[in-house]
Amino acid sequence: MRYRAEIRRFSGLVVLLGLLISTAVWADPPAGYPFVAYDEGLRQADAEDKPVFLYFGRYGCGWCDKTNRESFSDDRVRQAYEDHYVLVYVDAESGNRLTLPNGERLTEMELGARMNVFATPVFAYLEKNGEMIFKAPGFKTAEEFLAFDRYVSDGQYQKQELLEFLRGDS
């Protein structure tokens, strides 16, 4: 009888561990995309002369998971973003340390706070030097990501505000 109780307890721990491991994927960037760390991404953007697409996610973010499954699975989004950006992923709750181009050290969480990221997902488009172009919070459809790409990759952000572009104003 004691043996059965120990097996039940062990089985319960295995199930709990499995649940914890299976939900950890929610913090990951979308599968198959070449996301890099923030500091590495800024170096790469400068070297490749490309803007940065910055994705703030976090462990347990259901909207991040939805975005990964529904929007980033679109081949048109994958192609555009791999061609036009250096892709950077930041876990908004992580203590992983980064080094900024000026030598300052901070955590991914501190970077998120500095960029006013208090909920996830948040998507930011940056110049190759890290200067903010614009930020878009919350779940976005594939069509929205494609519109954001046209706005940045075509240089429209230098001519008009995002909302004007999205409305089709000249």
Side-chain angles (χ1 to χ4, degrees):
M1 199 171 272
R2 182 174 177 197
Y3 179 73
R4 287 184 192 163
E6 286 179 29
I7 289 177
R8 256 184 268 140
R9 188 175 308 127
F10 179 75
S11 297
L13 288 173
V14 169
V15 169
L16 180 61
L17 181 60
L19 287 172
L20 290 173
I21 290 170
S22 69
T23 59
V25 298
W26 287 2
D28 293 339
Y33 282 76
F35 279 90
V36 297
Y38 182 78
D39 43 3
E40 180 183 337
L42 289 181
R43 286 190 299 275
Q44 189 177 337
D46 187 49
E48 296 178 15
D49 195 29
K50 285 183 172 181
V52 173
F53 171 72
L54 174 57
Y55 178 169
F56 281 97
R58 68 172 177 78
Y59 175 81
C61 173
W63 290 108
C64 300
D65 184 52
K66 179 178 174 66
T67 302
N68 292 351
R69 283 184 291 107
E70 295 181 18
S71 304
F72 285 115
S73 64
D74 188 300
D75 288 334
R76 299 169 303 156
V77 173
R78 177 186 308 273
Q79 188 68 53
Y81 279 67
E82 287 182 1
D83 288 350
H84 299 148
Y85 305 95
V86 172
L87 305 175
V88 172
Y89 180 81
V90 172
D91 182 338
E93 294 181 338
S94 170
N96 290 340
R97 295 196 79 58
L98 307 167
T99 303
L100 300 182
N102 66 6
E104 180 183 4
R105 302 247 324 135
L106 72 164
T107 66
E108 289 182 318
M109 185 185 326
E110 290 168 334
L111 177 65
R114 183 174 290 180
M115 294 181 137
N116 295 317
V117 173
F118 300 108
T120 55
V122 171
F123 308 99
Y125 296 76
L126 310 175
E127 296 278 4
K128 67 179 184 175
N129 65 3
E131 184 178 319
M132 181 75 65
I133 297 171
F134 78 95
K135 195 167 45 170
F139 170 77
K140 301 295 175 227
T141 65
E143 295 307 320
E144 288 172 307
F145 279 118
L146 292 170
F148 295 158
D149 171 56
R150 286 190 305 277
Y151 179 68
V152 174
S153 66
D154 293 347
Q156 294 300 314
Y157 70 95
Q158 296 169 329
K159 302 171 190 170
Q160 67 186 136
E161 295 297 318
L162 176 62
L163 292 178
E164 293 170 329
F165 173 80
L166 294 173
R167 281 193 311 252
D169 298 348
S170 299

